[in-house]
Amino acid sequence: MAREYRTIEEVAGPLMLVRGVENVKYDELAEIELPGGEVRHCKVLEIDGTDALVQLFESSIGINVEASKVRFLGRGQMLAVSRDMLGRVFDGLGNPIDGGAALIPEAMLDINGTPINPAARDYPNEFIQTGVSAIDGLNTLVRGQKLPIFSAAGLPHNMLAAQIARQARVLNTEDKFAVVFAAMGITFEESDFFIKDFRETGAIERTVMFINLADDPAIERIATPRLALTAAEYLAFELEMHVLVLMTDITYYAEALREISAARKEVPGRRGYPGYLYTDLAGLYERAGRKKGNKGTITLVPILTMPDEDKTHPIPDLTGYITEGQVILSRDLYRKGMRPPIDVLPSLSRLKDKGIGSGKTREDHADTMNQLFAAYSRGKDAKELEVILGSEALSDIDRVYAKFSDEFEEKYVSQGFNTDRSIEKTLNIGWELLSMLPQNELKRIHQQFIDQYYIEDQEV
Amino acid sequence: MESINRGEIIKVSGPLIIAKGMRDANMYDVVEVSDKRLIGEIIEMHGEEASIQVYEETAGLGPGEIVVSRGAPLSVELGPGLISSIYDGIQRPLDVLAATEGSNITRGAYAPALDREKEWDFIAQVDVGADLVNGDVLGVVQETDLLEHRIMLPPNLSGRILEINSGSYKVTDVIGKLEDENGKIHDLSLMQKWPVRIGRPYKEKVAPDEPLITGQRIIDTFFPVAKGGTAAVPGPFGSGKTVIQHQLAKWAEADVVVYIGCGERGNEMTDVLNEFPQLEDPNTGEPLMKRTILIANTSNMPVAAREASIYTGITIAEYFRDMGYVVSVMADSTSRWAEALREMSGRLEEMPGEEGYPAYLGSRLANFYERAGIIRCLGADHRVGVLTAIGAVSPPGGDLSDPVAQSTLRIVQVFWSLDSTLAYRRHFPAINWLTSYSLYSDKMDRWMNDNVTPRWSTLRQDAMRLLQEESELEEIVRLIGHDALSDGDRLKLEAARSLREDFLHQNSFDDIDTFTSLKKQHRMIELLMTWYYEAQKALEAGTDYTEIATMKVRDELARLKMVPESLIVDTAKQLSMKITNEFAALNVGGRQ
């Protein structure tokens, strides 16, 4: 029952006003047919009597107010999902762009999803191994968690994202693992890097990719993460897989949101972002999680570049309020040659304590984690003191700590983007480092673990 | 349901819809929108057009669909069955919905807030023929092992009891009949309703004069909140707002706790749901869940219902207050609630105030916090009810000039300022002792002096002065180094460090450290300060600073927080002796 109208009244930016419509619903999808036969997509943003305010997903170039036709489709935006999505690459609207055949859908799902009932959630407490020591060892990612990566322009967050996508796995289970990758507003080169990297390493086999490029319409970017999460929900909660969703870059997404908000002449909040930015981001992030009675999980790792490395900018700020921790990349470490340049001290995984320990990782994990944090932080303090007062001012033990912090960055954090470390390996490297310190300094570790793992007579 | 008024949608814009033909509806009436029966509330009237905020997703709605008014404002159901429940912002029971609708919340889902089938044993406490006034207790239902649910006459009803019977009843069953002054006969039931936006009436409010013991050392000792008082916890993300709210919900002295998760993480509510049934109330040993009610409107649930959730929560709290109980309300976070307000205000095209928040933000916040207090309840029996309100604030970037933080500070009496630098150093609770304040301090000092130890205010003020001096000395150290300090100043730094690490720092995940009674707090601060006073004397007597700083007894002082409550009195006595003895030994050495 498609209804066609030739009553476009005005077009301004991504918005279009269509008059005299009947029986059109809020959030309904529509198509615009240009005089040349080209078809573009849009959706209803507001419906006031017989006036529909419509938001274009694509460019407005060439739209002719007189001759273009608008066709309302009588449904919201849907995504065709199927288990065959794995290994495929789609554009930001869900059309295949890898030259493969069209999907045969197993289901059509509304891309907005529905909120998980808090009473039906299950608490995330199972470990995901990313193969990256700074994450697995110190800021452990847990299935069902949302843990963003805070980066900045010029830092290698894409390399880290690709590394996580390649290496991530769940231990001690036969359950299937999948990665859903959503790119919003990234450049062709970046997208090419990801696609090639996944193809070359075979990671593509278990990955679904949604790619919205920087020169694709900003508006399409609003749909891209929702498509990815809808696909993830199908894989996780229908097919009971463990799904890791990577999204890059949330900053571009928020900018797209701002663009539409400005076009709608809404009252802006901080820095021109709409007042509902928090609610909108939460609508994405909160789709991660676990449900009672379902084996599947959605773990979300959004990546965002902090404008001017400012953590109080609305995008990282609001993200931090919703997500369960953050992994922070540091330019200082990057300049020192650390790959990945993860700054472990301000990074935090709020759920880590629930996902580690005996039966999940190893019994000494919590203790060594705390000790490594404490020792690294003390080493950094010592080094700072050294800068101000000279190395004579340091006590012997502080000198050991200063050395420890260097070695820690070198051996523990800087593992390279192509090294996949098991959690055992990560914990053992931790012990090698901790064994630089005298035993009586390891106050946060239970004696039984020191007896078991401490390496005696290690050279300092 | 009797339909009072039917209208028709003419405009849909996100959660806001406008319907015509609503001339007979009242402001703030609840309406059902379209045949999906989505719940909404009228928030503006223009002639026959009503602006309606819809509590559910509005995708798929369009002009022409029907809107039916229920003819009553948004109300909550109050009666047995509230305790241990988890509700969304408009009091839909989430656990029931999870069982009937599946793990996601579907639109138009509905279940009554109170279980209609469950039977409760009601014991009548009034006789036929009794003349009762509004608020009088008719009888009781033992709702959980911890809580006797007092069934009260609704605030708008008084008169003579014609009939009342003990027995087993469902919440809607008639338990008795009452004849009011006009001779009209009313059925009485276990359940009553109350509109959420109107505070429940009481006889009078009295000023708070007693501390709410929370078991959190920095709070009870330095920045106490009064029973019936108001407090705010602002802080940037990662500074531990939610942990503090959870700690207060767990350990604060209360008969009933209403925890409002307003626009926050879903997993946090799951955490509470998993943890509270396992935790024991320190006073009764029963699971904490048996005194807790959760309101969960997480950040991804509809924004309009988030706006309502605060009111739903505090109305339920007031109901238990009216029974004469001590009730606490935790709202996490009021900033998300304010954002919901801002979003609706924007859709209504109201003139924005600061940062796009509506100009009435301050008065709405004040309305919420002012519903706290100590009150004399309605009814003839002089019950006193207490409602304490504690709100988390999430200012953008931790910047307290944010309108929500500023409006809140104007109202609340206690301010626990969370500090990201402390959190970064893993000092928890990350309450900054230099910027926080409690306007109840003086009053509470008096209470503590009377009830804990006459030396309380001296100890507390000395400790505070020490911390203040530490921050000044640290400035100096930063400029000219540690070596330039006199021994007296070094001692101050050392004593302050010990106060910070051994008293202010508290591990909420440790079984013993998570809760510290006043008795233990008193012993701890007394011993720490005694050591400092003695050390000052020793220093003046010529003892070497290093010897004082490395005294053995200090290790034991540092471990005080791990001493179980049952042993604290004895341990403190021994330690006090040890301090005296060790100093005596030092002083002898010093004079040689």
Side-chain angles (χ1 to χ4, degrees):
Chain A
M1 53 151 232
R3 293 139 292 152
E4 273 189 8
Y5 298 94
R6 282 172 180 270
T7 47
I8 301 176
E9 176 84 10
E10 51 183 78
V11 185
L15 301 185
M16 190 168 75
L17 186 67
V18 189
R19 289 219 190 271
V21 299
E22 264 175 37
N23 209 8
V24 167
K25 309 290 187 195
Y26 173 67
D27 217 27
E28 183 173 341
L29 212 58
E31 289 174 349
I32 312 151
E33 195 180 322
L34 271 56
E38 188 191 343
V39 173
R40 293 186 193 159
H41 298 86
C42 54
K43 79 170 184 184
V44 177
L45 218 48
E46 188 177 293
I47 172 90
D48 187 356
T50 56
D51 294 351
L53 185 67
V54 175
Q55 168 189 317
L56 297 164
F57 287 137
E58 289 130 300
S59 129
S60 57
I61 294 176
I63 292 183
N64 179 305
V65 173
E66 287 298 316
S68 304
K69 284 186 281 192
V70 180
R71 194 159 45 236
F72 291 91
L73 301 179
R75 58 177 170 85
Q77 203 172 352
M78 310 289 262
L79 178 71
V81 290
S82 142
R83 66 193 74 218
D84 298 331
M85 297 176 97
L86 290 170
R88 302 295 303 271
V89 184
F90 301 90
D91 70 1
L93 288 174
N95 308 307
I97 50 169
D98 53 1
L103 278 183
I104 299 165
E106 286 166 12
M108 294 293 285
L109 298 177
D110 182 345
I111 66 159
N112 289 314
T114 47
I116 303 180
N117 185 331
R121 276 184 191 267
D122 211 349
Y123 203 72
N125 57 6
E126 297 284 344
F127 175 64
I128 288 187
Q129 179 176 304
T130 64
V132 179
S133 293
I135 296 177
D136 291 349
L138 299 176
N139 295 292
T140 317
L141 182 62
V142 177
R143 283 176 229 164
Q145 186 177 14
K146 34 201 183 298
L147 185 68
I149 296 175
F150 286 10
S151 181
L155 292 179
H157 44 268
N158 288 338
M159 309 282 283
L160 179 61
Q163 183 178 19
I164 295 173
R166 275 197 315 267
Q167 299 178 354
R169 73 196 68 229
V170 290
L171 305 179
N172 315 329
T173 165
E174 298 290 294
D175 298 349
K176 283 214 180 113
F177 191 87
V179 175
V180 174
F181 184 88
M184 294 153 307
I186 64 171
T187 60
F188 168 76
E189 283 172 44
E190 286 170 308
S191 128
D192 189 52
F193 160 78
F194 281 116
I195 297 176
K196 274 208 184 110
D197 188 281
F198 291 174
R199 285 220 170 109
E200 278 164 15
T201 56
I204 191 86
E205 292 305 319
R206 57 170 197 175
T207 305
V208 190
M209 301 182 82
F210 293 89
I211 309 269
N212 162 275
L213 293 177
D215 59 346
D216 287 337
I219 312 312
E220 193 182 299
R221 231 156 272 165
I222 306 297
T224 309
R226 292 182 165 79
L227 297 175
L229 285 161
T230 306
E233 279 170 351
Y234 182 73
L235 296 174
F237 301 129
E238 297 299 325
L239 306 181
E240 307 218 328
M241 299 171 93
H242 297 291
V243 185
L244 175 69
V245 182
L246 288 163
M247 288 184 178
T248 183
D249 178 326
I250 294 293
T251 306
Y252 302 143
Y253 170 80
E255 276 165 10
L257 212 57
R258 178 166 68 178
E259 198 177 319
I260 299 167
S261 170
R264 294 182 66 182
K265 300 186 176 63
E266 289 171 342
V267 180
R270 260 201 327 151
R271 301 227 187 167
Y273 291 97
Y276 49 79
L277 180 60
Y278 177 85
T279 306
D280 191 278
L281 288 176
L284 300 181
Y285 298 154
E286 282 286 335
R287 287 169 80 172
R290 294 174 67 196
K291 295 178 183 179
K292 282 181 191 149
N294 195 310
K295 277 204 294 199
T297 59
I298 296 179
T299 311
L300 182 61
V301 179
I303 294 161
L304 57 91
T305 45
M306 293 182 279
D308 203 22
E309 288 176 54
D310 175 11
K311 216 170 93 176
T312 66
H313 185 280
I315 300 167
D317 189 51
L318 295 179
T319 296
Y321 275 122
I322 308 163
T323 54
E324 285 132 352
Q326 66 277 337
V327 171
I328 296 186
L329 302 190
S330 144
R331 199 176 297 278
D332 286 347
L333 287 177
Y334 184 58
R335 272 199 294 256
K336 279 206 236 164
M338 305 301 153
R339 305 285 186 275
I342 297 177
D343 193 354
V344 297
L345 289 179
S347 298
L348 167 75
S349 162
R350 290 168 190 256
L351 306 182
K352 60 174 187 276
D353 301 307
K354 314 264 179 177
I356 61 176
S358 170
K360 290 173 178 167
T361 55
R362 207 167 74 185
E363 68 282 2
D364 59 321
H365 192 157
D367 285 5
T368 49
M369 176 174 75
N370 291 330
Q371 190 67 58
L372 282 168
F373 267 124
Y376 179 52
S377 145
R378 174 136 178 221
K380 295 268 273 190
D381 286 350
K383 283 182 66 99
E384 228 168 80
L385 208 64
E386 197 179 350
V387 172
I388 304 169
L389 300 170
S391 64
E392 315 84 71
L394 294 190
S395 63
D396 288 347
I397 187 70
D398 274 346
R399 240 170 259 146
V400 176
Y401 272 111
K403 178 138 194 308
F404 171 90
S405 81
D406 286 341
E407 294 269 310
F408 173 81
E409 287 171 5
E410 197 70 45
K411 290 189 176 150
Y412 196 92
V413 177
S414 187
Q415 65 183 81
F417 290 116
N418 293 312
T419 312
D420 186 359
R421 284 186 188 156
S422 69
I423 183 66
E424 284 279 324
K425 174 91 179 149
T426 292
L427 291 170
N428 291 343
I429 294 174
W431 275 105
E432 278 169 32
L433 291 163
L434 289 174
S435 300
M436 291 172 67
L437 304 170
Q439 276 204 18
N440 60 8
E441 287 290 315
L442 304 182
K443 292 192 180 115
R444 294 171 192 242
I445 304 182
H446 286 87
Q447 190 60 42
Q448 77 220 55
F449 300 138
I450 297 185
D451 295 344
Q452 195 177 347
Y453 295 104
Y454 188 81
I455 307 162
E456 298 284 349
D457 302 325
Q458 182 163 305
E459 265 181 69
V460 175
Chain B
M1 201 149 299
E2 196 183 345
S3 65
I4 307 293
N5 197 315
R6 290 167 79 93
E8 183 179 301
I9 299 181
I10 54 172
K11 176 177 174 178
V12 185
S13 167
L16 179 80
I17 66 168
I18 295 179
K20 66 175 182 182
M22 302 295 289
R23 184 172 286 279
D24 296 330
N26 308 312
M27 275 293 278
Y28 290 103
D29 272 0
V30 170
V31 295
E32 291 175 9
V33 178
S34 93
D35 49 9
K36 298 185 184 77
R37 301 183 66 163
L38 310 184
I39 306 291
E41 189 180 14
I42 298 177
I43 52 176
E44 265 186 18
M45 297 287 290
H46 300 278
E48 60 147 24
E49 290 182 7
S51 301
I52 296 163
Q53 67 173 355
V54 181
Y55 293 125
E56 290 168 87
E57 175 57 48
T58 50
L61 295 186
E65 294 189 67
I66 57 158
V67 175
V68 182
S69 167
R70 284 188 185 173
L74 184 65
S75 303
V76 285
E77 294 183 355
L78 303 165
L82 285 169
I83 299 287
S84 307
S85 294
I86 175 166
Y87 294 115
D88 77 348
I90 49 173
Q91 217 201 2
R92 288 185 298 186
L94 288 171
D95 45 352
V96 178
L97 291 186
T100 56
E101 309 272 335
S103 55
N104 287 37
I105 300 172
T106 45
R107 289 202 293 168
Y110 172 77
L114 297 178
D115 189 339
R116 292 288 191 273
E117 298 307 315
K118 182 158 181 173
E119 294 195 349
W120 300 93
D121 284 327
F122 170 74
I123 302 161
Q125 291 181 333
V126 293
D127 299 319
V128 172
D131 280 313
L132 299 185
V133 298
N134 51 355
D136 272 340
V137 176
L138 297 170
V140 296
V141 166
Q142 193 68 39
E143 185 171 351
T144 70
D145 300 341
L146 288 184
L147 193 102
E148 181 187 79
H149 195 115
R150 296 173 187 150
I151 306 299
M152 298 171 290
L153 262 188
N156 49 10
L157 215 56
S158 36
R160 173 166 299 174
I161 294 289
L162 299 182
E163 190 188 324
I164 187 133
N165 297 304
S166 299
S168 199
Y169 294 103
K170 296 173 186 166
V171 284
T172 46
D173 287 346
V174 176
I175 58 169
K177 288 186 194 305
L178 174 130
E179 182 181 12
D180 68 14
E181 297 90 80
N182 307 322
K184 194 170 172 224
I185 294 173
H186 300 266
D187 285 343
L188 301 171
S189 70
L190 296 180
M191 181 180 92
Q192 49 177 289
K193 284 190 175 187
W194 191 261
V196 296
R197 293 184 196 278
I198 303 169
R200 284 175 60 89
Y202 48 83
K203 270 193 216 141
E204 62 171 338
K205 222 173 201 172
V206 290
D209 56 358
E210 201 183 306
L212 180 79
I213 308 303
T214 65
Q216 311 305 303
R217 291 189 291 265
I218 185 165
I219 294 177
D220 291 350
T221 302
F222 290 106
F223 309 107
V225 57
K227 272 187 190 153
T230 51
V233 208
F237 68 83
S239 57
K241 276 184 303 300
T242 301
V243 176
I244 288 185
Q245 291 272 30
H246 282 195
Q247 283 296 93
L248 294 176
K250 284 175 197 167
W251 307 122
E253 197 189 359
D255 299 310
V256 177
V257 173
V258 180
Y259 191 95
I260 309 169
C262 168
E264 287 289 309
R265 304 177 181 95
N267 281 334
E268 277 168 9
M269 299 316 293
T270 315
D271 194 21
V272 173
L273 279 177
N274 288 343
E275 199 179 5
F276 276 36
Q278 317 285 334
L279 287 170
E280 284 179 8
D281 182 53
N283 302 318
T284 55
E286 289 290 326
L288 282 176
M289 203 61 204
K290 290 193 179 176
R291 62 165 206 191
T292 310
I293 298 160
L294 298 174
I295 312 287
N297 214 91
T298 55
S299 53
N300 56 337
M301 287 160 72
V303 69
R306 191 195 301 168
E307 194 265 339
S309 65
I310 289 264
Y311 299 108
T312 300
I314 199 145
T315 308
I316 293 174
E318 282 177 334
Y319 172 67
F320 285 101
R321 173 203 68 183
D322 289 348
M323 293 179 201
Y325 285 123
V326 177
V327 186
S328 299
V329 172
M330 322 285 162
D332 185 13
S333 145
T334 55
S335 294
R336 305 300 161 221
W337 168 78
E339 278 170 11
L341 217 56
R342 172 167 73 183
E343 193 172 332
M344 292 316 296
S345 164
R347 305 248 183 210
L348 288 168
E349 292 165 11
E350 291 171 340
M351 184 73 76
E354 220 179 327
E355 296 227 8
Y357 286 103
Y360 46 77
L361 171 68
S363 54
R364 291 281 172 89
L365 269 170
N367 280 345
F368 168 72
Y369 283 108
E370 279 299 291
R371 286 170 79 168
I374 301 186
I375 56 117
R376 292 191 210 292
C377 310
L378 295 180
D381 61 352
H382 307 296
R383 298 186 306 266
V384 171
V386 177
L387 175 54
T388 314
I390 298 165
V393 184
S394 320
D399 173 13
L400 290 179
S401 68
D402 156 68
V404 184
Q406 280 305 312
S407 311
T408 306
L409 289 186
R410 253 170 259 146
I411 310 156
V412 297
Q413 304 289 306
V414 183
F415 167 58
W416 297 314
S417 162
L418 294 181
D419 189 334
S420 55
T421 21
L422 287 177
Y424 180 85
R425 281 195 251 143
R426 307 286 197 266
H427 176 104
F428 289 106
I431 298 178
N432 184 319
W433 48 91
L434 298 173
T435 52
S436 302
Y437 62 78
S438 165
L439 298 179
Y440 298 118
S441 280
D442 294 339
K443 259 190 191 174
M444 297 310 131
D445 267 358
R446 253 172 272 146
W447 189 91
M448 296 285 200
N449 286 345
D450 294 343
N451 293 280
V452 183
T453 166
R455 291 183 62 209
W456 183 268
S457 50
T458 324
L459 282 171
R460 191 182 75 84
Q461 280 158 18
D462 282 359
M464 201 57 201
R465 188 173 312 124
L466 192 58
L467 291 167
Q468 174 64 37
E469 284 174 341
E470 182 198 30
S471 80
E472 289 162 14
L473 287 171
E474 271 183 345
E475 291 273 303
I476 299 175
V477 171
R478 231 169 278 143
L479 290 174
I480 54 173
H482 209 269
D483 295 339
L485 293 184
S486 70
D487 281 351
D489 285 344
R490 280 210 237 170
L491 175 64
K492 274 181 190 158
L493 282 185
E494 195 51 32
R497 187 187 61 81
S498 147
L499 258 184
R500 275 193 284 115
E501 290 179 6
D502 306 332
F503 187 79
L504 297 183
H505 179 98
Q506 188 168 2
N507 183 353
S508 26
F509 300 104
D510 183 273
D511 288 345
I512 293 174
D513 205 21
T514 184
F515 176 85
T516 311
S517 69
L518 272 190
K519 182 179 73 180
K520 184 171 164 187
Q521 294 187 32
H522 160 216
R523 299 299 191 288
M524 287 175 77
I525 195 145
E526 187 161 55
L527 285 168
L528 289 170
M529 291 309 286
T530 307
W531 178 83
Y532 171 59
Y533 298 142
E534 292 296 322
Q536 273 182 320
K537 280 189 217 152
L539 207 56
E540 275 169 30
T543 315
D544 180 44
Y545 167 73
T546 327
E547 279 192 48
I548 298 177
T550 53
M551 282 170 71
K552 272 214 318 267
V553 71
R554 300 196 62 210
D555 284 346
E556 287 186 62
L557 287 175
R559 281 195 297 271
L560 257 182
K561 52 180 166 185
M562 294 306 171
V563 175
E565 293 284 338
S566 53
L567 304 178
I568 189 68
V569 176
D570 290 340
T571 315
K573 259 190 210 143
Q574 289 164 13
L575 267 179
S576 170
M577 301 253 290
K578 273 192 194 163
I579 292 179
T580 319
N581 294 342
E582 270 194 49
F583 271 110
L586 277 184
N587 285 342
V588 171
R591 273 184 221 109
Q592 276 171 353

